[in-house]
Amino acid sequence: MNTQEIPPAPAAESMTSPHVTASAGSTDPSAPLVVLLHGRGSNESEILGLAGHLPEGPAYVALRAPIGEGGGYAWFANRGIGRPIAESLALGMEWFHRWLEEIAPKGRPVLVVGFSGGAAFAGGLVLAEPQRFAGAAILYGTLPFDAGVPVTPERLSGLPVFVAQGDRDGVIPAELLSRTWNYLLTESAAKTRSRRDPGGHQITAETVAELSHWIQEVTTAATA
C-alpha cells in the first residue's frame, strides 16, 4: 500500500483541501483506475481494505474526502442524511476532477466505487458527467437527488452500474434507497447489476464477491 499527499490547489480555486490518497494494485499509469470513496466520517485507509478482495489488474486508489468531520472526512455538507447541499456537492466534484485529471487523463478507464456517503458522491460524479466514467458502484447509499445534478430519464444510458442495498439499512432513509433502486433499474437506462442483502448498512462478503466479478467484467470490456 502506498500513501501520498498532493499539494493543495492554488488559492484561487474554490476548494483547497489536499488530495490525500492510499493506493494498491497495479502501478501501470495506463491500467484501469478504480477510485474507492469512503463513507461519511471515515477515511481513505479504511476503504482501501476492499482492494485486497477485488480483481488483479486495475489500479486501486482510495481518496480522502475534503471536509473534516467527526474524526474522519465527508464529501459534502448536507441538509439531512443522504441529502447533499447542492453548492457543497458541486465544489467537491470540482475538487475531485482537478485530482482526477492529473492521474487519469481522458482515455484511461475510470470506475468510481462509493460506500454510503461516498455512494452519493459517486452518483453525483456520474450523473454530472456520465461520459467521463467507465462505471459506478453505489453501495448502501443513495443517489444525490435534488442536489443540482441531472436525474433525468436515460441520463446514464448504457453505463455499467452496480447497486447494492441492505433490506434492514437503518442509516439511509428508506425513501431514498427506494428511489435510487428504482431509478437505476428503470429510468436511468444504465446497464445495472443489482444486489439486495438481508442485513443492514454494511458491505457483506457476498456483495464484495459480486462487486469483484462486476469490476472484472467492466474493466475487461473497457480495455478490449
Side-chain angles (χ1 to χ4, degrees), residues 1 21-24 34-40 42-54 60-65 75 112-119 137 139 203 208 211:
M1 182 180 78
T21 64
S23 60
V34 179
V35 183
L36 304 173
L37 305 171
H38 62 77
R40 194 174 199 91
S42 184
N43 59 55
E44 73 285 357
S45 297
E46 290 186 7
I47 198 164
L48 187 66
L50 271 180
H53 305 281
L54 300 178
Y60 296 95
V61 178
L63 177 64
R64 178 186 296 176
W75 297 103
V112 284
V113 175
F115 168 71
S116 192
L139 307 178
I203 303 176
V208 172
L211 174 66

PDB file of all heavy atoms in Angstrom, residues 1 21-24 34-40 42-54 60-65 75 112-119 137 139 203 208 211:
ATOM      1  N   MET A   1       0.851  -1.195   0.000  1.00  0.00           N
ATOM      2  CA  MET A   1       0.000   0.000   0.000  1.00  0.00           C
ATOM      3  C   MET A   1       0.876   1.230   0.000  1.00  0.00           C
ATOM      4  O   MET A   1       1.840   1.326   0.754  1.00  0.00           O
ATOM      5  CB  MET A   1      -0.896   0.004   1.242  1.00  0.00           C
ATOM      6  CG  MET A   1      -1.854   1.189   1.310  1.00  0.00           C
ATOM      7  SD  MET A   1      -2.891   1.149   2.793  1.00  0.00           S
ATOM      8  CE  MET A   1      -1.738   1.727   4.017  1.00  0.00           C
ATOM      9  N   THR A  21      -4.277  10.323  -0.687  1.00  0.00           N
ATOM     10  CA  THR A  21      -4.700   9.035  -1.235  1.00  0.00           C
ATOM     11  C   THR A  21      -3.947   7.884  -0.602  1.00  0.00           C
ATOM     12  O   THR A  21      -2.874   8.045  -0.027  1.00  0.00           O
ATOM     13  CB  THR A  21      -4.462   8.982  -2.760  1.00  0.00           C
ATOM     14  OG1 THR A  21      -3.053   9.071  -3.029  1.00  0.00           O
ATOM     15  CG2 THR A  21      -5.188  10.108  -3.476  1.00  0.00           C
ATOM     16  N   ALA A  22      -4.526   6.702  -0.728  1.00  0.00           N
ATOM     17  CA  ALA A  22      -3.854   5.442  -0.427  1.00  0.00           C
ATOM     18  C   ALA A  22      -4.105   4.532  -1.611  1.00  0.00           C
ATOM     19  O   ALA A  22      -5.207   4.533  -2.174  1.00  0.00           O
ATOM     20  CB  ALA A  22      -4.396   4.833   0.864  1.00  0.00           C
ATOM     21  N   SER A  23      -3.106   3.772  -2.035  1.00  0.00           N
ATOM     22  CA  SER A  23      -3.246   3.018  -3.275  1.00  0.00           C
ATOM     23  C   SER A  23      -2.820   1.572  -3.127  1.00  0.00           C
ATOM     24  O   SER A  23      -2.079   1.196  -2.216  1.00  0.00           O
ATOM     25  CB  SER A  23      -2.433   3.679  -4.390  1.00  0.00           C
ATOM     26  OG  SER A  23      -1.062   3.734  -4.043  1.00  0.00           O
ATOM     27  N   ALA A  24      -3.295   0.755  -4.051  1.00  0.00           N
ATOM     28  CA  ALA A  24      -2.965  -0.667  -4.103  1.00  0.00           C
ATOM     29  C   ALA A  24      -3.159  -1.130  -5.544  1.00  0.00           C
ATOM     30  O   ALA A  24      -3.709  -0.410  -6.372  1.00  0.00           O
ATOM     31  CB  ALA A  24      -3.855  -1.472  -3.153  1.00  0.00           C
ATOM     32  N   VAL A  34      -9.653   2.301 -10.471  1.00  0.00           N
ATOM     33  CA  VAL A  34     -10.839   2.154  -9.633  1.00  0.00           C
ATOM     34  C   VAL A  34     -10.657   3.074  -8.432  1.00  0.00           C
ATOM     35  O   VAL A  34      -9.743   2.889  -7.627  1.00  0.00           O
ATOM     36  CB  VAL A  34     -11.040   0.700  -9.174  1.00  0.00           C
ATOM     37  CG1 VAL A  34     -12.273   0.588  -8.278  1.00  0.00           C
ATOM     38  CG2 VAL A  34     -11.171  -0.226 -10.382  1.00  0.00           C
ATOM     39  N   VAL A  35     -11.511   4.087  -8.325  1.00  0.00           N
ATOM     40  CA  VAL A  35     -11.428   5.055  -7.235  1.00  0.00           C
ATOM     41  C   VAL A  35     -12.415   4.641  -6.144  1.00  0.00           C
ATOM     42  O   VAL A  35     -13.617   4.517  -6.393  1.00  0.00           O
ATOM     43  CB  VAL A  35     -11.745   6.482  -7.720  1.00  0.00           C
ATOM     44  CG1 VAL A  35     -11.584   7.472  -6.563  1.00  0.00           C
ATOM     45  CG2 VAL A  35     -10.838   6.866  -8.886  1.00  0.00           C
ATOM     46  N   LEU A  36     -11.898   4.428  -4.943  1.00  0.00           N
ATOM     47  CA  LEU A  36     -12.707   3.999  -3.801  1.00  0.00           C
ATOM     48  C   LEU A  36     -13.044   5.210  -2.938  1.00  0.00           C
ATOM     49  O   LEU A  36     -12.149   5.941  -2.495  1.00  0.00           O
ATOM     50  CB  LEU A  36     -11.934   2.959  -2.981  1.00  0.00           C
ATOM     51  CG  LEU A  36     -11.458   1.721  -3.759  1.00  0.00           C
ATOM     52  CD1 LEU A  36     -10.561   0.848  -2.876  1.00  0.00           C
ATOM     53  CD2 LEU A  36     -12.647   0.917  -4.275  1.00  0.00           C
ATOM     54  N   LEU A  37     -14.331   5.415  -2.694  1.00  0.00           N
ATOM     55  CA  LEU A  37     -14.828   6.590  -1.988  1.00  0.00           C
ATOM     56  C   LEU A  37     -15.482   6.156  -0.677  1.00  0.00           C
ATOM     57  O   LEU A  37     -16.516   5.490  -0.680  1.00  0.00           O
ATOM     58  CB  LEU A  37     -15.834   7.332  -2.867  1.00  0.00           C
ATOM     59  CG  LEU A  37     -15.307   7.733  -4.267  1.00  0.00           C
ATOM     60  CD1 LEU A  37     -16.453   8.262  -5.130  1.00  0.00           C
ATOM     61  CD2 LEU A  37     -14.201   8.758  -4.149  1.00  0.00           C
ATOM     62  N   HIS A  38     -14.873   6.525   0.418  1.00  0.00           N
ATOM     63  CA  HIS A  38     -15.308   6.070   1.744  1.00  0.00           C
ATOM     64  C   HIS A  38     -16.590   6.744   2.203  1.00  0.00           C
ATOM     65  O   HIS A  38     -17.059   7.729   1.618  1.00  0.00           O
ATOM     66  CB  HIS A  38     -14.195   6.296   2.764  1.00  0.00           C
ATOM     67  CG  HIS A  38     -13.810   7.751   2.933  1.00  0.00           C
ATOM     68  ND1 HIS A  38     -14.574   8.641   3.646  1.00  0.00           N
ATOM     69  CD2 HIS A  38     -12.733   8.458   2.481  1.00  0.00           C
ATOM     70  CE1 HIS A  38     -13.995   9.835   3.652  1.00  0.00           C
ATOM     71  NE2 HIS A  38     -12.882   9.760   2.936  1.00  0.00           N
ATOM     72  N   GLY A  39     -17.135   6.230   3.290  1.00  0.00           N
ATOM     73  CA  GLY A  39     -18.349   6.786   3.866  1.00  0.00           C
ATOM     74  C   GLY A  39     -18.078   8.001   4.737  1.00  0.00           C
ATOM     75  O   GLY A  39     -16.930   8.319   5.072  1.00  0.00           O
ATOM     76  N   ARG A  40     -19.149   8.686   5.116  1.00  0.00           N
ATOM     77  CA  ARG A  40     -19.047   9.892   5.939  1.00  0.00           C
ATOM     78  C   ARG A  40     -18.422   9.575   7.294  1.00  0.00           C
ATOM     79  O   ARG A  40     -18.794   8.617   7.957  1.00  0.00           O
ATOM     80  CB  ARG A  40     -20.452  10.478   6.122  1.00  0.00           C
ATOM     81  CG  ARG A  40     -20.471  11.886   6.667  1.00  0.00           C
ATOM     82  CD  ARG A  40     -21.884  12.458   6.677  1.00  0.00           C
ATOM     83  NE  ARG A  40     -21.836  13.898   6.773  1.00  0.00           N
ATOM     84  CZ  ARG A  40     -21.808  14.717   5.724  1.00  0.00           C
ATOM     85  NH1 ARG A  40     -21.861  14.206   4.509  1.00  0.00           N
ATOM     86  NH2 ARG A  40     -21.742  16.029   5.888  1.00  0.00           N
ATOM     87  N   SER A  42     -15.404   8.566   7.766  1.00  0.00           N
ATOM     88  CA  SER A  42     -14.364   7.550   7.616  1.00  0.00           C
ATOM     89  C   SER A  42     -13.155   8.187   6.926  1.00  0.00           C
ATOM     90  O   SER A  42     -12.998   9.406   6.900  1.00  0.00           O
ATOM     91  CB  SER A  42     -14.918   6.357   6.834  1.00  0.00           C
ATOM     92  OG  SER A  42     -13.966   5.317   6.741  1.00  0.00           O
ATOM     93  N   ASN A  43     -12.288   7.340   6.360  1.00  0.00           N
ATOM     94  CA  ASN A  43     -11.102   7.851   5.685  1.00  0.00           C
ATOM     95  C   ASN A  43     -10.649   6.883   4.604  1.00  0.00           C
ATOM     96  O   ASN A  43     -11.207   5.793   4.445  1.00  0.00           O
ATOM     97  CB  ASN A  43      -9.970   8.098   6.688  1.00  0.00           C
ATOM     98  CG  ASN A  43      -9.584   6.836   7.444  1.00  0.00           C
ATOM     99  OD1 ASN A  43      -9.256   5.821   6.842  1.00  0.00           O
ATOM    100  ND2 ASN A  43      -9.635   6.882   8.771  1.00  0.00           N
ATOM    101  N   GLU A  44      -9.627   7.279   3.874  1.00  0.00           N
ATOM    102  CA  GLU A  44      -9.154   6.505   2.736  1.00  0.00           C
ATOM    103  C   GLU A  44      -8.555   5.156   3.136  1.00  0.00           C
ATOM    104  O   GLU A  44      -8.663   4.181   2.390  1.00  0.00           O
ATOM    105  CB  GLU A  44      -8.130   7.319   1.929  1.00  0.00           C
ATOM    106  CG  GLU A  44      -6.766   7.506   2.558  1.00  0.00           C
ATOM    107  CD  GLU A  44      -6.716   8.507   3.703  1.00  0.00           C
ATOM    108  OE1 GLU A  44      -7.745   9.137   4.020  1.00  0.00           O
ATOM    109  OE2 GLU A  44      -5.622   8.665   4.289  1.00  0.00           O
ATOM    110  N   SER A  45      -7.935   5.066   4.307  1.00  0.00           N
ATOM    111  CA  SER A  45      -7.286   3.820   4.714  1.00  0.00           C
ATOM    112  C   SER A  45      -8.297   2.709   4.961  1.00  0.00           C
ATOM    113  O   SER A  45      -8.039   1.543   4.661  1.00  0.00           O
ATOM    114  CB  SER A  45      -6.443   4.045   5.975  1.00  0.00           C
ATOM    115  OG  SER A  45      -5.402   4.960   5.720  1.00  0.00           O
ATOM    116  N   GLU A  46      -9.452   3.073   5.512  1.00  0.00           N
ATOM    117  CA  GLU A  46     -10.453   2.054   5.823  1.00  0.00           C
ATOM    118  C   GLU A  46     -11.004   1.405   4.568  1.00  0.00           C
ATOM    119  O   GLU A  46     -11.080   0.184   4.464  1.00  0.00           O
ATOM    120  CB  GLU A  46     -11.579   2.669   6.657  1.00  0.00           C
ATOM    121  CG  GLU A  46     -11.145   3.042   8.069  1.00  0.00           C
ATOM    122  CD  GLU A  46     -12.295   3.508   8.934  1.00  0.00           C
ATOM    123  OE1 GLU A  46     -13.455   3.424   8.480  1.00  0.00           O
ATOM    124  OE2 GLU A  46     -12.036   3.971  10.054  1.00  0.00           O
ATOM    125  N   ILE A  47     -11.369   2.206   3.580  1.00  0.00           N
ATOM    126  CA  ILE A  47     -12.000   1.619   2.388  1.00  0.00           C
ATOM    127  C   ILE A  47     -10.974   0.950   1.491  1.00  0.00           C
ATOM    128  O   ILE A  47     -11.321   0.077   0.683  1.00  0.00           O
ATOM    129  CB  ILE A  47     -12.835   2.661   1.613  1.00  0.00           C
ATOM    130  CG1 ILE A  47     -13.802   1.939   0.665  1.00  0.00           C
ATOM    131  CG2 ILE A  47     -11.938   3.654   0.877  1.00  0.00           C
ATOM    132  CD1 ILE A  47     -14.921   2.791   0.130  1.00  0.00           C
ATOM    133  N   LEU A  48      -9.702   1.296   1.624  1.00  0.00           N
ATOM    134  CA  LEU A  48      -8.696   0.648   0.783  1.00  0.00           C
ATOM    135  C   LEU A  48      -8.642  -0.857   1.051  1.00  0.00           C
ATOM    136  O   LEU A  48      -8.209  -1.627   0.194  1.00  0.00           O
ATOM    137  CB  LEU A  48      -7.315   1.267   1.004  1.00  0.00           C
ATOM    138  CG  LEU A  48      -6.242   0.766   0.037  1.00  0.00           C
ATOM    139  CD1 LEU A  48      -6.536   1.195  -1.393  1.00  0.00           C
ATOM    140  CD2 LEU A  48      -4.856   1.239   0.464  1.00  0.00           C
ATOM    141  N   GLY A  49      -9.096  -1.285   2.235  1.00  0.00           N
ATOM    142  CA  GLY A  49      -9.133  -2.711   2.531  1.00  0.00           C
ATOM    143  C   GLY A  49      -9.933  -3.519   1.529  1.00  0.00           C
ATOM    144  O   GLY A  49      -9.709  -4.724   1.371  1.00  0.00           O
ATOM    145  N   LEU A  50     -10.872  -2.876   0.840  1.00  0.00           N
ATOM    146  CA  LEU A  50     -11.641  -3.574  -0.195  1.00  0.00           C
ATOM    147  C   LEU A  50     -10.743  -4.094  -1.314  1.00  0.00           C
ATOM    148  O   LEU A  50     -11.024  -5.124  -1.916  1.00  0.00           O
ATOM    149  CB  LEU A  50     -12.670  -2.630  -0.824  1.00  0.00           C
ATOM    150  CG  LEU A  50     -14.054  -2.499  -0.219  1.00  0.00           C
ATOM    151  CD1 LEU A  50     -14.874  -1.510  -1.032  1.00  0.00           C
ATOM    152  CD2 LEU A  50     -14.752  -3.847  -0.145  1.00  0.00           C
ATOM    153  N   ALA A  51      -9.672  -3.355  -1.605  1.00  0.00           N
ATOM    154  CA  ALA A  51      -8.848  -3.678  -2.770  1.00  0.00           C
ATOM    155  C   ALA A  51      -8.278  -5.085  -2.721  1.00  0.00           C
ATOM    156  O   ALA A  51      -8.112  -5.731  -3.752  1.00  0.00           O
ATOM    157  CB  ALA A  51      -7.723  -2.655  -2.912  1.00  0.00           C
ATOM    158  N   GLY A  52      -7.996  -5.578  -1.521  1.00  0.00           N
ATOM    159  CA  GLY A  52      -7.449  -6.915  -1.386  1.00  0.00           C
ATOM    160  C   GLY A  52      -8.410  -8.014  -1.785  1.00  0.00           C
ATOM    161  O   GLY A  52      -7.993  -9.169  -1.946  1.00  0.00           O
ATOM    162  N   HIS A  53      -9.686  -7.679  -1.948  1.00  0.00           N
ATOM    163  CA  HIS A  53     -10.704  -8.658  -2.326  1.00  0.00           C
ATOM    164  C   HIS A  53     -11.213  -8.439  -3.750  1.00  0.00           C
ATOM    165  O   HIS A  53     -12.174  -9.091  -4.166  1.00  0.00           O
ATOM    166  CB  HIS A  53     -11.873  -8.578  -1.344  1.00  0.00           C
ATOM    167  CG  HIS A  53     -11.471  -8.744   0.079  1.00  0.00           C
ATOM    168  ND1 HIS A  53     -11.213  -9.973   0.636  1.00  0.00           N
ATOM    169  CD2 HIS A  53     -11.250  -7.817   1.052  1.00  0.00           C
ATOM    170  CE1 HIS A  53     -10.865  -9.807   1.911  1.00  0.00           C
ATOM    171  NE2 HIS A  53     -10.886  -8.513   2.182  1.00  0.00           N
ATOM    172  N   LEU A  54     -10.581  -7.517  -4.461  1.00  0.00           N
ATOM    173  CA  LEU A  54     -11.015  -7.170  -5.813  1.00  0.00           C
ATOM    174  C   LEU A  54     -10.001  -7.686  -6.826  1.00  0.00           C
ATOM    175  O   LEU A  54      -8.883  -8.040  -6.470  1.00  0.00           O
ATOM    176  CB  LEU A  54     -11.199  -5.651  -5.916  1.00  0.00           C
ATOM    177  CG  LEU A  54     -12.249  -5.080  -4.942  1.00  0.00           C
ATOM    178  CD1 LEU A  54     -12.337  -3.562  -5.064  1.00  0.00           C
ATOM    179  CD2 LEU A  54     -13.629  -5.719  -5.160  1.00  0.00           C
ATOM    180  N   TYR A  60      -5.990   0.597  -7.820  1.00  0.00           N
ATOM    181  CA  TYR A  60      -6.991   0.999  -6.838  1.00  0.00           C
ATOM    182  C   TYR A  60      -6.461   2.192  -6.053  1.00  0.00           C
ATOM    183  O   TYR A  60      -5.362   2.139  -5.498  1.00  0.00           O
ATOM    184  CB  TYR A  60      -7.315  -0.154  -5.890  1.00  0.00           C
ATOM    185  CG  TYR A  60      -7.940  -1.329  -6.591  1.00  0.00           C
ATOM    186  CD1 TYR A  60      -7.161  -2.401  -7.031  1.00  0.00           C
ATOM    187  CD2 TYR A  60      -9.303  -1.360  -6.854  1.00  0.00           C
ATOM    188  CE1 TYR A  60      -7.726  -3.485  -7.706  1.00  0.00           C
ATOM    189  CE2 TYR A  60      -9.882  -2.426  -7.532  1.00  0.00           C
ATOM    190  CZ  TYR A  60      -9.087  -3.478  -7.944  1.00  0.00           C
ATOM    191  OH  TYR A  60      -9.659  -4.535  -8.617  1.00  0.00           O
ATOM    192  N   VAL A  61      -7.234   3.258  -6.021  1.00  0.00           N
ATOM    193  CA  VAL A  61      -6.855   4.449  -5.266  1.00  0.00           C
ATOM    194  C   VAL A  61      -8.027   4.860  -4.394  1.00  0.00           C
ATOM    195  O   VAL A  61      -9.143   5.065  -4.888  1.00  0.00           O
ATOM    196  CB  VAL A  61      -6.447   5.610  -6.187  1.00  0.00           C
ATOM    197  CG1 VAL A  61      -6.106   6.843  -5.354  1.00  0.00           C
ATOM    198  CG2 VAL A  61      -5.258   5.231  -7.044  1.00  0.00           C
ATOM    199  N   ALA A  62      -7.774   4.958  -3.093  1.00  0.00           N
ATOM    200  CA  ALA A  62      -8.774   5.462  -2.157  1.00  0.00           C
ATOM    201  C   ALA A  62      -8.430   6.920  -1.875  1.00  0.00           C
ATOM    202  O   ALA A  62      -7.299   7.240  -1.495  1.00  0.00           O
ATOM    203  CB  ALA A  62      -8.762   4.647  -0.864  1.00  0.00           C
ATOM    204  N   LEU A  63      -9.382   7.790  -2.089  1.00  0.00           N
ATOM    205  CA  LEU A  63      -9.191   9.224  -1.920  1.00  0.00           C
ATOM    206  C   LEU A  63      -9.875   9.688  -0.640  1.00  0.00           C
ATOM    207  O   LEU A  63     -11.010   9.306  -0.377  1.00  0.00           O
ATOM    208  CB  LEU A  63      -9.780   9.962  -3.130  1.00  0.00           C
ATOM    209  CG  LEU A  63      -9.741  11.486  -3.132  1.00  0.00           C
ATOM    210  CD1 LEU A  63      -8.305  11.992  -3.158  1.00  0.00           C
ATOM    211  CD2 LEU A  63     -10.522  12.030  -4.330  1.00  0.00           C
ATOM    212  N   ARG A  64      -9.158  10.511   0.134  1.00  0.00           N
ATOM    213  CA  ARG A  64      -9.753  11.077   1.341  1.00  0.00           C
ATOM    214  C   ARG A  64     -10.680  12.230   0.969  1.00  0.00           C
ATOM    215  O   ARG A  64     -10.324  13.099   0.178  1.00  0.00           O
ATOM    216  CB  ARG A  64      -8.661  11.597   2.280  1.00  0.00           C
ATOM    217  CG  ARG A  64      -9.200  12.252   3.562  1.00  0.00           C
ATOM    218  CD  ARG A  64      -8.080  12.886   4.370  1.00  0.00           C
ATOM    219  NE  ARG A  64      -7.144  11.870   4.844  1.00  0.00           N
ATOM    220  CZ  ARG A  64      -6.029  12.166   5.510  1.00  0.00           C
ATOM    221  NH1 ARG A  64      -5.707  13.424   5.748  1.00  0.00           N
ATOM    222  NH2 ARG A  64      -5.231  11.185   5.907  1.00  0.00           N
ATOM    223  N   ALA A  65     -11.876  12.243   1.537  1.00  0.00           N
ATOM    224  CA  ALA A  65     -12.828  13.323   1.270  1.00  0.00           C
ATOM    225  C   ALA A  65     -12.281  14.657   1.781  1.00  0.00           C
ATOM    226  O   ALA A  65     -11.434  14.692   2.684  1.00  0.00           O
ATOM    227  CB  ALA A  65     -14.165  13.003   1.924  1.00  0.00           C
ATOM    228  N   TRP A  75     -17.685  14.087   2.074  1.00  0.00           N
ATOM    229  CA  TRP A  75     -17.598  14.555   0.688  1.00  0.00           C
ATOM    230  C   TRP A  75     -18.349  15.848   0.454  1.00  0.00           C
ATOM    231  O   TRP A  75     -18.062  16.573  -0.499  1.00  0.00           O
ATOM    232  CB  TRP A  75     -18.127  13.470  -0.251  1.00  0.00           C
ATOM    233  CG  TRP A  75     -17.308  12.230  -0.178  1.00  0.00           C
ATOM    234  CD1 TRP A  75     -17.615  11.070   0.471  1.00  0.00           C
ATOM    235  CD2 TRP A  75     -16.011  12.034  -0.754  1.00  0.00           C
ATOM    236  NE1 TRP A  75     -16.586  10.162   0.341  1.00  0.00           N
ATOM    237  CE2 TRP A  75     -15.591  10.726  -0.404  1.00  0.00           C
ATOM    238  CE3 TRP A  75     -15.164  12.835  -1.526  1.00  0.00           C
ATOM    239  CZ2 TRP A  75     -14.351  10.214  -0.801  1.00  0.00           C
ATOM    240  CZ3 TRP A  75     -13.933  12.321  -1.919  1.00  0.00           C
ATOM    241  CH2 TRP A  75     -13.546  11.024  -1.552  1.00  0.00           C
ATOM    242  N   VAL A 112     -15.785   4.500 -10.390  1.00  0.00           N
ATOM    243  CA  VAL A 112     -15.908   5.017  -9.033  1.00  0.00           C
ATOM    244  C   VAL A 112     -16.757   4.041  -8.219  1.00  0.00           C
ATOM    245  O   VAL A 112     -17.812   3.602  -8.661  1.00  0.00           O
ATOM    246  CB  VAL A 112     -16.514   6.437  -9.004  1.00  0.00           C
ATOM    247  CG1 VAL A 112     -15.474   7.462  -9.430  1.00  0.00           C
ATOM    248  CG2 VAL A 112     -17.755   6.561  -9.876  1.00  0.00           C
ATOM    249  N   VAL A 113     -16.251   3.716  -7.034  1.00  0.00           N
ATOM    250  CA  VAL A 113     -16.926   2.781  -6.135  1.00  0.00           C
ATOM    251  C   VAL A 113     -17.124   3.488  -4.805  1.00  0.00           C
ATOM    252  O   VAL A 113     -16.152   3.809  -4.109  1.00  0.00           O
ATOM    253  CB  VAL A 113     -16.087   1.502  -5.936  1.00  0.00           C
ATOM    254  CG1 VAL A 113     -16.743   0.578  -4.899  1.00  0.00           C
ATOM    255  CG2 VAL A 113     -15.899   0.773  -7.262  1.00  0.00           C
ATOM    256  N   GLY A 114     -18.377   3.793  -4.457  1.00  0.00           N
ATOM    257  CA  GLY A 114     -18.641   4.552  -3.247  1.00  0.00           C
ATOM    258  C   GLY A 114     -19.517   3.807  -2.270  1.00  0.00           C
ATOM    259  O   GLY A 114     -20.483   3.141  -2.658  1.00  0.00           O
ATOM    260  N   PHE A 115     -19.186   3.961  -0.989  1.00  0.00           N
ATOM    261  CA  PHE A 115     -19.985   3.373   0.089  1.00  0.00           C
ATOM    262  C   PHE A 115     -20.655   4.486   0.884  1.00  0.00           C
ATOM    263  O   PHE A 115     -20.006   5.467   1.268  1.00  0.00           O
ATOM    264  CB  PHE A 115     -19.107   2.534   1.015  1.00  0.00           C
ATOM    265  CG  PHE A 115     -19.790   2.129   2.301  1.00  0.00           C
ATOM    266  CD1 PHE A 115     -20.805   1.177   2.290  1.00  0.00           C
ATOM    267  CD2 PHE A 115     -19.451   2.718   3.509  1.00  0.00           C
ATOM    268  CE1 PHE A 115     -21.461   0.819   3.461  1.00  0.00           C
ATOM    269  CE2 PHE A 115     -20.093   2.364   4.687  1.00  0.00           C
ATOM    270  CZ  PHE A 115     -21.102   1.404   4.666  1.00  0.00           C
ATOM    271  N   SER A 116     -21.947   4.370   1.141  1.00  0.00           N
ATOM    272  CA  SER A 116     -22.714   5.283   1.981  1.00  0.00           C
ATOM    273  C   SER A 116     -22.592   6.711   1.456  1.00  0.00           C
ATOM    274  O   SER A 116     -23.021   6.996   0.346  1.00  0.00           O
ATOM    275  CB  SER A 116     -22.250   5.149   3.436  1.00  0.00           C
ATOM    276  OG  SER A 116     -23.125   5.803   4.318  1.00  0.00           O
ATOM    277  N   GLY A 117     -21.983   7.640   2.217  1.00  0.00           N
ATOM    278  CA  GLY A 117     -21.802   8.992   1.707  1.00  0.00           C
ATOM    279  C   GLY A 117     -20.979   9.027   0.440  1.00  0.00           C
ATOM    280  O   GLY A 117     -21.201   9.864  -0.445  1.00  0.00           O
ATOM    281  N   GLY A 118     -20.023   8.115   0.334  1.00  0.00           N
ATOM    282  CA  GLY A 118     -19.231   8.005  -0.886  1.00  0.00           C
ATOM    283  C   GLY A 118     -20.058   7.538  -2.066  1.00  0.00           C
ATOM    284  O   GLY A 118     -19.750   7.857  -3.217  1.00  0.00           O
ATOM    285  N   ALA A 119     -21.133   6.794  -1.797  1.00  0.00           N
ATOM    286  CA  ALA A 119     -22.037   6.368  -2.869  1.00  0.00           C
ATOM    287  C   ALA A 119     -22.771   7.571  -3.459  1.00  0.00           C
ATOM    288  O   ALA A 119     -22.937   7.682  -4.676  1.00  0.00           O
ATOM    289  CB  ALA A 119     -23.039   5.342  -2.353  1.00  0.00           C
ATOM    290  N   ALA A 137     -20.188   2.069  -8.858  1.00  0.00           N
ATOM    291  CA  ALA A 137     -20.828   1.186  -7.882  1.00  0.00           C
ATOM    292  C   ALA A 137     -21.396   2.041  -6.757  1.00  0.00           C
ATOM    293  O   ALA A 137     -20.671   2.851  -6.158  1.00  0.00           O
ATOM    294  CB  ALA A 137     -19.821   0.183  -7.328  1.00  0.00           C
ATOM    295  N   LEU A 139     -22.926   1.649  -3.315  1.00  0.00           N
ATOM    296  CA  LEU A 139     -23.019   0.642  -2.261  1.00  0.00           C
ATOM    297  C   LEU A 139     -23.658   1.211  -1.000  1.00  0.00           C
ATOM    298  O   LEU A 139     -23.100   2.112  -0.351  1.00  0.00           O
ATOM    299  CB  LEU A 139     -21.626   0.102  -1.924  1.00  0.00           C
ATOM    300  CG  LEU A 139     -20.784  -0.414  -3.107  1.00  0.00           C
ATOM    301  CD1 LEU A 139     -19.410  -0.864  -2.611  1.00  0.00           C
ATOM    302  CD2 LEU A 139     -21.501  -1.545  -3.831  1.00  0.00           C
ATOM    303  N   ILE A 203     -21.135  -3.565   4.129  1.00  0.00           N
ATOM    304  CA  ILE A 203     -20.772  -4.325   2.931  1.00  0.00           C
ATOM    305  C   ILE A 203     -20.531  -5.775   3.328  1.00  0.00           C
ATOM    306  O   ILE A 203     -19.684  -6.064   4.176  1.00  0.00           O
ATOM    307  CB  ILE A 203     -19.504  -3.741   2.285  1.00  0.00           C
ATOM    308  CG1 ILE A 203     -19.708  -2.262   1.942  1.00  0.00           C
ATOM    309  CG2 ILE A 203     -19.148  -4.516   1.023  1.00  0.00           C
ATOM    310  CD1 ILE A 203     -18.468  -1.579   1.393  1.00  0.00           C
ATOM    311  N   VAL A 208     -19.116  -8.087  -1.825  1.00  0.00           N
ATOM    312  CA  VAL A 208     -17.743  -7.869  -2.301  1.00  0.00           C
ATOM    313  C   VAL A 208     -17.405  -8.842  -3.423  1.00  0.00           C
ATOM    314  O   VAL A 208     -16.791  -8.463  -4.427  1.00  0.00           O
ATOM    315  CB  VAL A 208     -16.730  -7.991  -1.147  1.00  0.00           C
ATOM    316  CG1 VAL A 208     -15.304  -7.950  -1.679  1.00  0.00           C
ATOM    317  CG2 VAL A 208     -16.945  -6.878  -0.135  1.00  0.00           C
ATOM    318  N   LEU A 211     -19.237  -7.665  -6.478  1.00  0.00           N
ATOM    319  CA  LEU A 211     -18.589  -6.437  -6.939  1.00  0.00           C
ATOM    320  C   LEU A 211     -17.296  -6.761  -7.680  1.00  0.00           C
ATOM    321  O   LEU A 211     -16.991  -6.156  -8.718  1.00  0.00           O
ATOM    322  CB  LEU A 211     -18.296  -5.528  -5.744  1.00  0.00           C
ATOM    323  CG  LEU A 211     -17.492  -4.260  -6.020  1.00  0.00           C
ATOM    324  CD1 LEU A 211     -18.282  -3.296  -6.908  1.00  0.00           C
ATOM    325  CD2 LEU A 211     -17.092  -3.584  -4.704  1.00  0.00           C
TER     326      LEU A 211
END
